[in-house]
């Protein structure tokens, strides 16, 4: 793949991020479940269910009366989904579900992706997503190597499947980049999928945002005024 | 505690004034129940009074309700648009903002925003009032069209939304503006004092008189203060020369001190008692020459003692002596009100001039409560129940009507509550008092009072431009529109009279607790979860004197610090560094011994060795140690304040905020650790096996912290790491090692094992690489520049080891977006704080202010004026707003940027430096106008603000430019348009977004803090996901029964 093709894929995906992220978790997972059905990957379904049940999109936080504080999350942005080169040393039947899980998690959590086209299965994943109605621009497929992907500063994170040595090498390469610090979310355990099944795994794909609204800016604190006159006996 | 009933003793007022003064401040936030127990006997009526009050109040209410014209104007509005409805609130929002919006586009958008979410249709024809149905809001017009359109879409709000889109927007805007003008006309007696005098004649003929108030926002600039001064002077002239020939007394003028000086604050006492007093004396001399009385309005609780000192100075001045027409307003909801009244009565008695005194219940109740909650103060300066305020009012009234006070104070009882009115009448043994009511409210009540009693009634009447007054008046509406308000219930025929004539003292006494259980004390804001950190109110004498005494012993201390390894302070092979105060390099603060690379290995060795034991220490024990640390920090408040001043150059308030944040981190992470680590989580795995997951520490965590929050951000990551079961090597910024050293000493005292916390004081260049390249390190938490974060990341990645968590909080290019619906005064106050507080040395500080061009010419001069009023100087002093920057290197970089800006941008303003600025590292706070955020290549970590004008139509491209900077830390938004606010919040990629407030001062557990993109990795400090990043999940898998016989892989074999 030429650099310009990758650049174009990145640009396309980036342009889709705002819309895809703004869809909201429910709408995104609805589409992803359709795609997952076609793929019949228990790990993917399990993760989608976990994300929908354990990641409330807004958490209301406490604070002084007259102030509304909430913690929300959204996708980090652009994520590279990649795996050890041509799956040389990994059994595909163990690695493929992990790639699928990384891809679906990235999308469910509001990210757009460039999926490394490492084998037939990745093309199948891509088709399943498009068939399900996932915004095509949000899922780019690319023949770029992991090294090529790792060299691009546009990526906010990489979801990687491979062996420890590859993770260390990729991490070292990512650290050489300028710009933002890229997150590396790697699965190296293809027996138990220790990373993918961990509690914190989907949270690695998101960035949090706190919204604080002074609800009394207009001039009064109606909630408090009501409390001041509230009868308790 | 002062015994309240003593106040009625005949000799009470003969005490020395200073003795009575001493009673005031200690009551600032006195325990509510104890003090109300004191007040109740004063308010409680005797049997005769009770009968008389009940009868009097019942008669008044009956008469008011029988009056066909009773429910009109504001009363009707309040009844119809109750504040427990969306419409009520939205109406206020629209009224507050619409008239000041200069551009049609934004005005239309605001109307669309407010109309689209409310159910106006439901209110049509519910009210008989012409004011509500015909004049208000222009909604009748829209409503009629709505009903024609109803079949098409059953949802009224959608219909209106469509209607607004369909109808010509200029037409809607015109109608709405007209409606706002009509409302302004109802609330405001006249746009000018002449108009007000003219409109007031008919009421004066009925026996009323007036106190005119030239309302507006507090002045932020000396230009605004001069404008208000001239307005007051002209008003006095007009009233004095008015030719009205009726028998009603001559009106007075009410003045708002915060409008007459841009810094009417306790911290600026010398300016208030100097230049501000001079201005007031000029007004007094003028008013006296025309015999127009002056009443000084009441303001926030923090200014009470200052205003009394100022009043005394004015009252005792030769220009005022012998006049007897300089009055003031006292708020009965203030716990200090009763001794204040006694002090004023004694003052009047000693001089022999009567003081007219308006007793009000209080207009800032909600903001007083919120303010205390935000600042973690010991209690509230006001009562928390409505009936407690009513009771206090009656206690104060009894004192004011007592024989001791007669002739010294001329009481003016301001209330719209028929029961209060009847109580005053019943308690009065003489007729030397008057009632006061607000223009547009309580007309019928006081018409009745006038007819049946020989008593004077004065109307407090706002005068001025409608658009200036509406924000203030919305406050009044909100207060009185709350359903619990007497005004609301008086006109609500559904409310039985018997409920309205209950004596508040009886109601209060019948409560299970005298304080309101629904309003927790500031320290109890987080309920049972954790204690809130406490702060001191340095604006109030009693608190400030106590606090000052805690700090003072450490103002000459010189501290010694160095590495602490395994609990031992290391001095061998260290390098000595002298510490001086950033604001005065002649002032020695102490000495720090810097570690070298060999200490790194030793620290790692001890930390690694200590890890298993600390990891296996029960989480409750670890959490308790942190909670003890929090208590120890509070117990050593004074020393940390002195350190914050002297080592970090922090001002008083910044120091308080610093200690509070550190305390909150300790308690918050203790709670988070218990939540996350007490139990094993069991879940069904994707392959039907059972997954059991628990968390434990990861090992040795390195925490590298910055100098700008030398205690809070030093302790934040450390306490999270420790609570999670890690051992920690702390590397504080070299500039603020003394604070870090003291904090670590307290950690050891709190019971953190010596092996669990290692402190390496020293330079990043020496210690950073050896620390972060060591394979024993299991994670790094860092706050600092983006460049340093990248270097640490590279160092970690070089280790040929499994990647470890790297939590980085880095730089920002923080923006604030304001549109033309904003309130300029509010914006400027928030901009000045966001950009210049802490000398701009906060990660969250505002760097680029985007102003919609339609309001730029109003806001930029106001910003310029406000910057001129800020005080840069020695941060130990109360009057200092902005201290020094941290060191010469920082200063040089900022000066370089200012020089560049001076050449390439337009200077808006620069705050003057103190005369002795060269003693330290000061930077004059500066604001420059630039063409866009693209002009800035990197963050300038200091008091430099950049201002960009934008067109309303360019909002999205402005958002793109902010996002394109790559940074994403904080964002401020000022708009009254919720749709706009949501749109911006949705599109801008920032970690912390603040709407209609300043954008600094995130509170732990309330506003989790951290950025995205170039600004950091997350998770957010002080948020629910932070501590977990310091843990490792330990999984155990139990196969399901079916799996025992079925060995087939659960994985899809079709791939």
């Amino acid at each position: 793949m030429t650099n310009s093709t990758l650049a174009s894929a990145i640009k396309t995906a980036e342009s889709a991020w705002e819309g895809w992220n703004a869809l909201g978790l429910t709408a995104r997972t609805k589409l992803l479940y359709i795609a997952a059905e076609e793929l019949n990957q228990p790990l993917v379904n399990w993760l989608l269910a976990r994300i929908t049940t354990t990641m409330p999109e807004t958490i209301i936080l406490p604070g002084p009366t007259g102030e509304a504080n909430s913690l929300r999350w959204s996708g980090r942005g652009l994520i590279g989904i990649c795996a050890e080169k041509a799956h040389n040393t990994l059994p595909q039947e163990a690695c493929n579900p992990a790639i699928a899980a990384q891809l679906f998690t990235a999308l469910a959590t509001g990210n757009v992706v460039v999926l490394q086209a490492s084998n037939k299965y990745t093309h199948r994943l891509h088709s399943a997503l498009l068939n399900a109605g996932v915004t095509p621009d949000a899922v780019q497929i690319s023949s770029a190597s992991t090294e090529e992907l790792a060299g691009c500063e546009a990526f906010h994170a990489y979801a990687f499947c491979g062996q420890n040595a590859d993770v260390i090498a990729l991490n070292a390469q990512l650290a050489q980049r300028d710009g933002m610090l890229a997150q590396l979310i790697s699965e190296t355990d293809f027996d138990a999928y220790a990373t993918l099944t961990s509690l914190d795994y989907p949270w690695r794909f998101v960035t949090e945002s706190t919204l604080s609204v002074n609800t009394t800016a207009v001039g009064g604190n109606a909630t408090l005024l009501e409390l001041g006159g509230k009868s308790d006996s | 505690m002062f015994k309240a009933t003593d106040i009625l003793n005949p000799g009470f007022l003969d005490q020395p004034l200073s003795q009575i003064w001493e009673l005031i401040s200690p009551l600032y936030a006195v325990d509510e129940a104890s003090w109300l127990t004191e007040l109740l006997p004063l308010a409680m009526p005797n049997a005769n009074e009770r009968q008389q009050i009940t009868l009097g109040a019942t008669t008044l209410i009956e008469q008011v309700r029988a009056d066909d014209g009773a429910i009109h104007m504001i009363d009707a509005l309040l009844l119809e648009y109750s504040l427990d409805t969306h419409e009520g609130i939205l109406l206020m929002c629209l009224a507050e903002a619409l008239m000041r919006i200069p551009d049609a586009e934004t005005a239309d958008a605001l109307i669309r925003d407010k109309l689209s979410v409310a159910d106006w249709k439901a209110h049509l024809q519910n009210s008989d009032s012409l004011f509500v149905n015909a004049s208000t809001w222009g909604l009748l017009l829209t409503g009629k069209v709505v009903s024609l359109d109803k079949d098409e879409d059953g949802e009224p709000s959608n219909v209106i939304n469509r209607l607004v889109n369909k109808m010509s927007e200029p037409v809607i805007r015109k109608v709405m503006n007209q409606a706002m003008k009509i409302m302004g006309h109802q609330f405001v007696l006249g746009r000018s004092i002449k108009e007000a005098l003219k409109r007031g004649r008919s009421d004066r003929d009925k026996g009323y008189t007036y106190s005119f108030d030239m309302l507006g926002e507090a002045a932020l600039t000396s230009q605004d203060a001069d404008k208000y001064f001239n307005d007051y002077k002209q008003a006095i002239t007009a009233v004095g020369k008015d030719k009205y020939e009726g028998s009603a007394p001559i009106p007075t003028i009410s003045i708002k001190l915060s409008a007459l000086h841009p810094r009417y604050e306790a911290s600026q006492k010398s300016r208030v008692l100097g230049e501000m007093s001079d201005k007031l004396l000029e007004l007094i001399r003028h008013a006296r020459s025309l015999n127009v009385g002056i009443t000084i309005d009441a303001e926030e609780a923090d200014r009470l003692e200052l205003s009394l000192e100022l009043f005394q100075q004015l009252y005792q001045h030769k220009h005022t002596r012998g006049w007897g027409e300089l009055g003031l307003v006292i708020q009965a909801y203030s716990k200090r009100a009763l001794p204040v009244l006694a002090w004023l009565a004694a003052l009047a008695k000693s001089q022999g001039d009567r003081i007219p005194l308006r007793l009000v219940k209080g207009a800032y109740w909600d903001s007083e409560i919120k303010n205390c909650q935000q600042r973690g103060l010991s209690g509230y300066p006001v009562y928390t129940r409505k009936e407690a305020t009513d009771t206090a009012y009656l206690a104060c009234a009894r004192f004011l009507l007592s024989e001791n006070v007669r002739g010294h104070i001329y009481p003016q009882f301001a209330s719209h509550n028929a029961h209060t009115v009847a109580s005053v009448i019943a308690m009065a043994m003489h007729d030397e008092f008057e009632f006061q009511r607000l223009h547009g409210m309580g007309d019928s009540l006081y018409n009745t009072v006038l007819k049946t009693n020989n008593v004077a009634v004065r109307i407090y009447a706002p005068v001025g431009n409608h658009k200036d007054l509406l924000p203030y008046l919305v406050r009044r509406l909100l207060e009185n529109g709350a359903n619990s308000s007497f005004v609301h219930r008086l006109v609500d025929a559904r409310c039985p009279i018997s409920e309205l004539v209950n004596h508040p003292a009886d109601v209060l006494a019948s409560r299970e607790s005298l304080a309101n259980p629904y309003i927790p004390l500031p320290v109890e804001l987080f309920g049972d979860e954790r204690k809130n950190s406490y702060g001191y109110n340095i604006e109030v004498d009693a608190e400030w004197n106590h606090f000052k005494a805690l700090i003072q012993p450490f103002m000459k201390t010189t501290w010694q610090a160095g590495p602490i390894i395994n609990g031992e302070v290391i001095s061998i092979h260290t390098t000595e560094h002298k510490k001086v105060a950033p604001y005065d390099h002649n002032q020695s603060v102490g000495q720090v011994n810097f570690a070298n690379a060999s200490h790194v290995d030793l620290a790692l060795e001890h930390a690694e060795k200590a890890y298993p034991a600390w990891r296996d220490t029960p989480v409750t024990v670890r959490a308790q140690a942190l909670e003890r640390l929090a208590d120890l920090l509070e117990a050593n408040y004074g020393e940390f304040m002195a350190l914050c001043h002297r080592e970090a150059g922090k001002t008083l308030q910044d120091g308080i905020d610093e200690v509070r944040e550190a305390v909150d981190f300790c308690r918050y992470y203790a709670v988070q650790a218990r939540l996350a680590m007490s139990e094993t989580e069991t879940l069904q795995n994707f392959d039907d096996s059972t997954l059991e997951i628990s968390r434990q520490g990861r090992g040795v965590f390195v925490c590298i912290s910055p100098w700008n929050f030398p205690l809070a951000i030093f302790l934040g990551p450390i306490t999270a790491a420790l609570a999670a079961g890690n051992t920690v090597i702390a590397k504080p910024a070299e500039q603020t090692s003394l604070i870090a050293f003291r904090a670590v000493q307290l950690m050891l005292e709190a019971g953190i094992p010596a092996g669990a916390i290692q402190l390496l004081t020293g330079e990043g260049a020496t210690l950073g690489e050896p620390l972060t390249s060591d394979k024993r390190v299991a994670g790094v938490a860092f706050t600092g520049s983006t460049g340093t974060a990248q270097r640490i990341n590279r160092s970690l990645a070089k280790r040929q080891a499994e990647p470890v968590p790297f939590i980085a909080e880095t730089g920002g290019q923080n923006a604030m977006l304001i549109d033309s619906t904003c309130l300029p005064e509010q914006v400027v106050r928030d901009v000045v704080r966001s950009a210049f507080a802490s000398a701009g040395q906060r990660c969250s500080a505002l760097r680029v202010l985007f102003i919609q061009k339609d309001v730029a010419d109003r806001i930029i001069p106001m910003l310029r004026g406000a910057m001129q009023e800020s005080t840069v100087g020695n941060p130990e002093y109360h009057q200092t707003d902005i201290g020094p920057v941290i060191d010469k290197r920082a200063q040089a970089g900022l000066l370089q940027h200012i020089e560049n800006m001076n050449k390439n941008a337009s200077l808006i303003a620069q705050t003057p430096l103190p005369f002795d600025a060269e003693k330290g590292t000061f930077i004059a706070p500066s604001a420059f106008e630039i063409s866009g955020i693209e002009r800035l290549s990197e963050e300038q970590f200091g008091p430099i603000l950049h201002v960009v004008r934008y067109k309303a139509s360019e909002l999205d491209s402005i958002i793109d430019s902010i996002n394109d900077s790559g940074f994403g830390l904080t964002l401020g938004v000022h708009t009254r348009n919720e749709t706009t606010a949501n749109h911006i919040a949705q599109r801008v990629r920032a970690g912390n977004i603040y709407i209609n407030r300043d954008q600094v001062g995130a509170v732990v557990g309330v506003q989790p803090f951290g950025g995205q993109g170039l600004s950091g990795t997350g998770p957010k400090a002080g948020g629910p996901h932070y501590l977990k990043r310091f843990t490792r999940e330990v999984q155990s898998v139990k196969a399901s029964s079916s799996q025992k016989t079925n060995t087939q892989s659960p994985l899809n074999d079709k791939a």
Side-chain angles (χ1 to χ4, degrees), chain B residues 506-682:
Chain B
D506 293 335
V507 177
L508 182 64
S510 72
R511 300 293 189 206
E512 273 183 36
S513 60
L514 294 177
N516 190 336
Y518 300 105
I519 301 177
L521 285 172
V523 289
E524 292 162 5
L525 199 58
F526 304 114
D528 295 335
E529 185 189 282
R530 66 189 159 101
K531 221 163 61 172
N532 191 8
S533 58
Y534 68 80
Y536 288 90
N537 188 347
I538 54 175
E539 313 302 319
V540 172
D541 279 354
E543 296 229 340
W544 169 227
N545 291 336
H546 170 66
F547 192 44
K548 201 162 47 176
L550 295 179
I551 304 169
Q552 213 51 47
F554 301 98
M555 290 311 288
K556 299 281 178 213
T557 304
T558 49
W559 288 270
Q560 306 293 318
I564 301 178
I565 297 178
N566 204 28
E568 300 291 327
V569 180
I570 307 290
S571 54
I572 303 170
H573 303 311
T574 57
T575 330
E576 209 178 279
H577 285 259
K578 303 280 182 205
K579 300 286 296 177
V580 293
Y583 49 93
D584 181 359
H585 290 182
N586 299 319
Q587 191 186 124
S588 169
V589 185
Q591 178 188 307
V592 183
N593 293 333
F594 280 8
N596 64 33
S598 69
H599 296 120
V600 172
D601 191 56
L602 191 63
L604 277 163
E605 190 183 315
H606 284 290
E608 190 184 34
K609 197 170 153 199
Y611 167 65
W614 181 244
R615 176 195 64 202
D616 296 338
T617 301
V619 64
T620 48
V621 175
R622 297 198 302 260
Q624 280 163 2
L626 295 182
E627 284 159 348
R628 276 195 298 277
L629 174 62
D631 295 343
L632 282 170
L633 289 167
E634 288 187 329
N636 290 274
Y637 225 125
E639 183 176 4
F640 281 106
M641 284 297 299
L643 274 164
C644 282
H645 283 322
R646 299 179 57 212
E647 189 181 29
K650 285 191 174 262
T651 59
L652 275 162
Q653 193 56 52
D654 284 348
I656 293 171
D657 295 345
E658 177 85 30
V659 175
R660 287 194 65 208
E661 189 176 351
V663 168
D664 283 335
F665 272 132
C666 296
R667 292 185 182 137
Y668 182 76
Y669 291 135
V671 171
Q672 291 299 310
R674 285 192 187 100
L675 284 173
M677 305 187 80
S678 295
E679 286 172 11
T680 298
E681 193 161 334
T682 304

Side-chain angles (χ1 to χ4, degrees), chain B residues 688-989:
Chain B
D688 282 340
S689 62
T690 301
L691 205 50
E692 288 185 346
I693 305 179
S694 61
R695 291 178 189 273
Q696 67 175 37
R698 301 186 69 96
V700 179
F701 241 88
V702 172
C703 299
I704 303 172
S705 52
W707 47 261
N708 64 330
F709 283 90
L711 186 64
I713 301 186
F714 175 70
L715 281 180
I718 293 175
T719 49
L722 287 171
N726 302 283
T727 54
V728 170
I729 297 181
K731 156 65 185 85
E734 46 268 39
Q735 295 91 333
T736 51
S737 304
L738 296 174
I739 298 174
F741 180 84
R742 276 300 286 138
V744 171
Q745 284 184 318
L746 291 190
M747 293 171 91
L748 296 171
E749 193 181 331
I752 311 281
I757 176 70
Q758 315 292 329
L759 175 72
L760 290 178
T761 51
E763 288 174 313
T766 312
L767 306 175
E769 175 74 16
L771 258 179
T772 54
S773 61
D774 196 291
K775 282 190 181 178
R776 286 170 287 185
V777 169
V780 175
F782 165 77
T783 303
S785 71
T786 308
T788 308
Q790 281 163 339
R791 281 195 292 280
I792 294 171
N793 196 33
R794 283 173 195 144
S795 177
L796 282 170
K798 269 195 280 180
R799 302 180 314 160
Q800 288 304 303
E802 190 186 336
V804 295
F806 178 39
I807 305 163
E809 279 306 325
T810 51
Q813 196 64 279
N814 307 315
M816 181 187 277
L817 283 161
I818 62 172
D819 74 5
S820 64
T821 65
C822 70
L823 182 62
E825 288 81 358
Q826 208 168 40
V827 164
V828 169
R829 203 172 288 122
D830 289 344
V831 166
V832 168
R833 175 167 153 74
S834 300
F836 304 125
S838 314
Q841 300 172 116
R842 291 176 183 243
C843 315
S844 52
L846 169 62
R847 310 293 180 206
V848 190
L849 171 67
F850 289 90
I851 309 179
Q852 189 184 319
K853 76 173 186 54
D854 306 273
V855 288
D857 288 337
R858 167 88 177 112
I859 287 173
I860 289 174
M862 198 183 278
L863 173 64
R864 182 183 297 126
M867 285 176 67
Q868 296 305 326
E869 298 300 328
S870 293
T871 307
V872 181
N874 184 331
E876 295 168 17
Y877 302 148
H878 193 178
Q879 71 264 28
T880 298
D881 301 306
I882 299 162
V885 296
I886 190 70
D887 58 19
K888 284 184 177 165
R889 192 168 156 223
Q891 185 190 35
L894 293 164
L895 286 173
Q896 178 65 52
H897 182 70
I898 288 175
E899 197 183 318
N900 290 343
M901 284 286 116
N902 273 325
K903 284 182 198 151
N904 302 307
S906 152
L907 178 70
I908 291 171
Q910 207 157 46
T911 305
L913 287 178
F915 72 95
D916 56 352
E918 74 286 351
K919 281 162 64 180
T921 44
F922 287 92
I923 288 286
S926 309
F928 294 96
E929 187 166 345
I930 59 172
S931 57
I933 196 170
E934 311 76 23
R935 292 281 312 279
L936 305 169
S937 54
E938 56 183 8
E939 182 182 23
Q940 297 298 327
F941 207 70
I944 304 172
L945 175 69
H946 309 89
V947 177
V948 178
R949 294 176 197 237
Y950 74 96
K951 289 183 195 157
S953 58
E954 295 168 344
L955 181 64
D956 277 307
S957 60
I958 291 297
I959 292 172
D960 290 339
S961 72
I962 294 169
N963 287 338
D964 287 346
S965 77
F967 290 102
L969 194 45
T970 69
L971 172 81
V973 179
H974 265 272
T975 177
R976 294 294 190 255
N977 187 325
E978 282 182 52
T979 310
T980 306
N982 291 338
H983 177 73
I984 295 171
Q986 181 73 36
R987 286 214 59 222
V988 176
R989 304 180 73 170

Side-chain angles (χ1 to χ4, degrees), chain B residues 308-323:
Chain B
L308 294 175
E309 282 187 67
L310 177 64
F311 181 82
Q312 181 178 14
Q313 186 171 305
L314 297 171
Y315 176 80
Q316 292 178 332
H317 194 274
K318 62 181 179 192
H319 291 340
T320 320
R321 275 182 185 274
W323 186 29

